[in-house]
Amino acid sequence: MGAGFKGLDRRQLATAERSPLTLGVEEEFLLLDTFSGRNLPVADTVLARLTGQALEQSRHEFRQSMIEMVTPVCSNLTQLREHLAASRAVAAAAGAAIGARLVAVGATPVAEAVIDRPAAERYERIIRQFGPVALDPALCGCHVHVGVPDRELAVQVCNHLRPWLPVIQAIAANSPFHEGADTGYASWRSIQMERWPSLGPTPHFASAAEYDHTVEQLITAGVMLDVGMVLWYARPSARYPTVEVRVADVAPTVDDAVVLAGLVRALVATVIDDIRAELPAPRLRGSLMSAAHWRAARDGLEGHLVNPLTGDLQPAWDLVDDLLDFVGPALTRDGELQTVIAGLERLRVEGTGAERQRRVHRRTGDINDVLGYLAAETTGNAAR
């Protein structure tokens, strides 16, 4: 891939003095029974065992079989890696103490016999409004936040990100199994999530005012309960002064999460350069965007992706190379180019999380072997 990188002269590095954008990551994990592989509704017990910073960085999620770990604000990928590794290790230890595996996988791989959720009125309202959709098996994502404190700029950033997010989705594919069987999709989480009416490619907005007005209309229509239910693949965060990219399955390893976050931050920095240069965001057909995301969910990096700019079907790695070409100057400016190139080279050799899971399953035929491998990947203890 290094030989394929050719974008350093595409932009002048005149903005090299600009400070790197801040970033942070939210990771959702499943708690699985060590023997059956089923989801365990033990989040309360696991979270109660956390203390100090680990407790501060933890959250309940929509299921008692899930927990979320959140990094502090970071300025570089080295800091991010340290926080991700530490939070995964302490959460895994807390789970192991009560017989639960902490597993970084995008969708429930076996079964969720008990659909328990935290006792909160908001969750009850979601279930009343959306019915069985809200009772689907648990799903786990990785949400990357990049600091963009100007909200008008954040909306424009989301416009410019749209053609690249299917590639990010493909890179992050990590959920091929459902009910113990291979679905044929690299990201089954993406397919399950499509049942939510407020999820999908981010629409194009002319301004923050248009964004806010549209969200208000969708809340009035009942498609969303509140601004927290804007589930588009990129959005100005409702909590933080950031752009939040939420298209990815949770990453199987810390290294995978670091590469994902590095690419997303570089993408945001690159499109900010384009916006300041008054380059317009591509206006893309909704049908092509939907096709591009569906193909990313189906193939991951092991097949072909739709180029939403042209509608052409291309080898997935050609579009990854295009992405690296596009964001290379930003990665160079922030000193992260070699880290991201090395991570992508590893994915090219080893495959996405989805492909690595399938490789274990092809070898053993046992879904629980896959889950044991994933649990080891989650904390960095898998054999290579």
Side-chain angles (χ1 to χ4, degrees):
M1 177 161 313
F5 174 67
K6 55 187 182 297
L8 284 177
D9 60 352
R10 187 182 58 81
R11 282 181 173 79
Q12 297 297 317
L13 301 185
T15 54
E17 72 282 356
R18 192 178 72 200
S19 297
L21 302 176
T22 58
L23 78 164
V25 169
E26 301 170 346
E27 293 191 296
E28 298 163 345
F29 302 99
L30 289 182
L31 297 163
L32 303 183
D33 183 86
T34 302
F35 300 102
S36 70
R38 292 187 170 214
N39 296 22
L40 286 178
V42 294
D44 284 345
T45 305
V46 170
L47 294 175
R49 300 182 69 89
L50 302 180
T51 60
Q53 187 176 21
L55 179 60
E56 294 174 5
Q57 292 175 218
S58 67
R59 293 182 189 154
H60 280 97
E61 254 302 329
F62 193 51
R63 287 283 189 280
Q64 286 285 14
S65 59
M66 298 172 63
I67 64 169
E68 182 176 62
M69 302 299 291
V70 180
T71 71
V73 177
C74 300
S75 60
N76 58 61
L77 296 185
T78 299
Q79 286 181 356
L80 183 71
R81 183 190 304 276
E82 292 171 354
H83 287 298
L84 291 170
S87 64
R88 286 181 176 218
V90 295
I98 60 168
R101 284 172 168 165
L102 184 84
V103 177
V105 63
T108 294
V110 177
E112 186 171 22
V114 180
I115 308 293
D116 278 0
R117 62 268 182 196
E121 171 58 24
R122 185 168 184 271
Y123 292 140
E124 298 302 325
R125 290 176 58 214
I126 290 172
I127 292 168
R128 288 196 299 270
Q129 183 75 356
F130 299 103
V133 173
L135 301 175
D136 281 347
L139 306 171
C140 295
C142 176
H143 303 163
V144 180
H145 288 258
V146 181
V148 183
D150 182 323
R151 205 156 173 282
E152 287 290 347
L153 179 59
V155 169
Q156 297 306 313
V157 165
C158 293
N159 291 340
H160 282 254
L161 290 178
R162 295 174 77 229
W164 298 106
L165 293 187
V167 186
I168 295 294
Q169 181 182 12
I171 289 169
N174 185 40
S175 51
F177 292 101
H178 175 66
E179 296 185 350
D182 194 326
T183 63
Y185 287 86
S187 175
W188 184 244
R189 167 185 168 273
S190 297
I191 301 305
Q192 279 190 255
M193 290 284 289
E194 288 180 359
R195 283 158 57 89
W196 289 91
S198 58
L199 182 134
T202 311
H204 185 282
F205 294 105
S207 65
E210 184 182 17
Y211 176 97
D212 291 339
H213 180 60
T214 301
V215 170
E216 289 172 6
Q217 289 178 312
L218 293 173
I219 291 172
T220 299
V223 170
M224 304 173 184
L225 293 185
D226 51 40
V227 295
M229 287 197 70
V230 176
L231 303 180
W232 295 322
Y233 295 144
R235 67 182 187 182
S237 173
R239 293 184 186 177
Y240 310 114
T242 65
V243 165
E244 179 184 4
V245 173
R246 43 188 301 115
V247 73
D249 289 358
V250 65
T253 70
V254 168
D255 285 343
D256 293 325
V258 167
V259 170
L260 176 71
L263 285 169
V264 170
R265 179 170 71 164
L267 257 178
V268 172
T270 300
V271 302
I272 287 175
D273 288 345
D274 284 354
I275 292 164
R276 289 174 174 162
E278 300 184 350
L279 298 177
R283 298 302 294 263
L284 304 168
R285 283 179 286 169
S287 56
L288 275 183
M289 286 305 307
S290 295
H293 282 289
W294 178 83
R295 192 77 193 205
R298 181 180 180 273
D299 283 16
L301 296 181
E302 278 67 51
H304 289 72
L305 300 177
V306 174
N307 183 334
L309 294 171
T310 65
D312 295 335
L313 197 62
Q314 298 178 223
W317 277 99
D318 286 0
L319 289 178
V320 174
D321 287 339
D322 288 346
L323 171 62
L324 185 59
D325 182 47
F326 185 66
V327 304
L331 288 169
T332 300
R333 184 170 59 210
D334 293 344
E336 311 286 14
L337 179 63
Q338 292 308 315
T339 297
V340 171
I341 285 178
L344 290 175
E345 289 285 11
R346 181 176 50 77
L347 285 177
R348 191 191 289 269
V349 172
E350 297 182 3
T352 62
E355 177 57 23
R356 278 135 56 189
Q357 289 182 55
R358 285 170 166 155
R359 191 177 303 129
V360 174
H361 196 257
R362 286 194 295 268
R363 187 173 68 246
T364 72
D366 189 336
I367 189 64
N368 217 27
D369 288 340
V370 176
L371 302 182
Y373 168 78
L374 273 174
E377 287 270 273
T378 301
T379 55
N381 295 316
R384 293 288 180 186

